[in-house]
Amino acid sequence: MAGALDATFFAFRKRERSGVLLMATLAYIGIAAIMGVAFWFLNKQGIGDYFNWAMSLSQNAALQKPGVPPSVEMMMPPASVMGLAPSYLIFTFLYYLLFAAYEAACLRWMVRGESGGLLGLSLGADTWRVYAGYWLWFFLLIAGYIGVILVALVIGAVGGVAGGESAAGATVLLVILGVVAALAGWLYAAVRFAPAAATSIARRRFAFFDAWKVSKDRFWALFGGFVLLILAYVVATIIAGVVVGGLIGANMFTQFGTAEAGTVSPDQVFAQLLAPQTLVPILVLYAGLIVVAMFVMLGFFGVNARAAQAALEEGKISAA
């Protein structure tokens, strides 16, 4: 437990310079916001058409006669919506490159005590090492997904051939146990490779698979640190959800509590949701939730950075 707590709060230790992680975080949030606004401005026609098309699908589904499939024309989105795909792919590439620069900046400061670039963010070698690791995670995720499906299919096929219909219940149980075992194996591997980006930063070269050496004998410290951070975010989300629900419910009751059933229109409800006394507290709460999310993200970086730094100190890995 002590190791998990040490790893969880490693990012927030007092260091020789203060504000490095804060500046990098503010730069990340600011650039991400500018990118989001730019994406909306360049694609606002397609985004608007998408929501109109989605609403029309919902309305037509309610009016559709049972047993009559919707027409092909109805299901096809407008051309402007189809045109969103290239823009979204470009936006996704740029966003994950920005996130890689942010993670590299945080890890570089926590592991090596170095900073540089625009408020800590740069497109240097560290950023590209972290970004390359994202692609490996992407393929590992796909491999894990395929592996879980194959385990379920193989167990189901073997059980069906060996036991027939009489052993259907036992086969289902074996499939469930097999899937749980496969997910547990994938979770174990994910935790062991979690410090991959921090390992590349520590070694000053791409060293994704060296994370297995870094996490040796540290599985429970890493896992415990991640669980504590996730629990903190879940608790904050639940509290925010309860408070938001209470605010909305109280405002709606104050406005419409005495109204007769069926006399309140959706437009009235929507207008009340956008009223300042409802909207402002909700925005403040969710802004606070974003702050909590950033602290949790820094905590994740810190857990991995502590493992990489300890591996350097113990001689498990060395800087290039």
Side-chain angles (χ1 to χ4, degrees):
M1 185 64 180
L5 288 173
D6 177 62
T8 302
F9 297 106
F10 179 75
F12 312 110
R13 284 183 177 180
K14 187 175 181 180
R15 293 174 171 85
E16 59 270 19
R17 277 173 56 201
S18 60
V20 174
L21 296 179
L22 176 61
M23 289 297 101
T25 301
L26 292 177
Y28 161 71
I29 293 174
I31 296 173
I34 292 172
M35 288 172 57
V37 171
F39 177 80
W40 174 84
F41 182 78
L42 294 173
N43 300 278
K44 57 184 178 181
Q45 180 65 46
I47 295 172
D49 290 344
Y50 170 77
F51 283 107
N52 290 331
W53 171 67
M55 290 179 63
S56 67
L57 280 181
S58 178
Q59 293 170 353
N60 289 329
L63 300 174
Q64 196 77 23
K65 295 181 180 179
V68 179
S71 63
V72 177
E73 293 79 8
M74 185 189 303
M75 297 300 296
M76 286 296 295
S80 59
V81 175
M82 300 294 289
L84 285 175
S87 298
Y88 183 73
L89 287 175
I90 294 172
F91 173 81
T92 302
F93 170 80
L94 293 176
Y95 171 76
Y96 278 104
L97 187 58
L98 169 65
F99 190 78
Y102 173 56
E103 184 174 3
C106 295
L107 292 174
R108 187 165 52 242
W109 175 244
M110 286 187 269
V111 177
R112 302 195 322 233
E114 300 174 4
S115 64
L118 175 63
L119 299 177
L121 306 186
S122 75
L123 292 178
D126 286 332
T127 294
W128 292 103
R129 289 164 187 150
V130 173
Y131 183 74
Y134 292 168
W135 280 104
L136 270 179
W137 275 114
F138 174 72
F139 291 120
L140 286 174
L141 181 64
I142 293 176
Y145 179 76
I146 294 173
V148 170
I149 292 177
L150 287 177
V151 167
L153 291 176
V154 169
I155 294 176
V158 172
V161 171
E165 294 183 3
S166 60
T171 300
V172 171
L173 179 60
L174 285 174
V175 169
I176 293 173
L177 292 175
V179 169
V180 169
L183 288 173
W186 192 92
L187 176 64
Y188 177 78
V191 173
R192 290 295 303 271
F193 282 118
T199 303
S200 294
I201 298 298
R203 298 213 62 189
R204 298 176 185 265
R205 67 178 182 82
F206 184 70
F208 185 96
F209 294 102
D210 285 349
W212 196 264
K213 292 188 290 186
V214 168
S215 59
K216 184 181 180 182
D217 301 325
R218 283 195 177 84
F219 173 82
W220 291 111
L222 287 166
F223 182 74
F226 295 148
V227 169
L228 288 173
L229 290 166
I230 292 170
L231 285 176
Y233 183 71
V234 169
V235 170
T237 303
I238 291 173
I239 293 173
V242 170
V243 174
V244 167
L247 284 171
I248 294 175
N251 286 325
M252 291 299 174
F253 181 79
T254 301
Q255 186 70 19
F256 306 118
T258 58
E260 296 182 6
T263 60
V264 179
S265 68
D267 289 339
Q268 288 177 298
V269 174
F270 188 69
Q272 184 61 25
L273 286 174
L274 295 180
Q277 64 269 25
T278 304
L279 187 61
V280 172
I282 290 174
L283 291 178
V284 170
L285 278 169
Y286 277 110
L289 197 59
I290 291 174
V291 173
V292 173
M294 297 308 298
F295 270 100
V296 170
M297 192 181 300
L298 283 173
F300 270 93
F301 295 163
V303 171
N304 294 325
R306 178 68 187 109
Q309 189 183 72
L312 278 174
E313 294 167 358
E314 296 167 2
K316 289 182 178 179
I317 59 173
S318 60

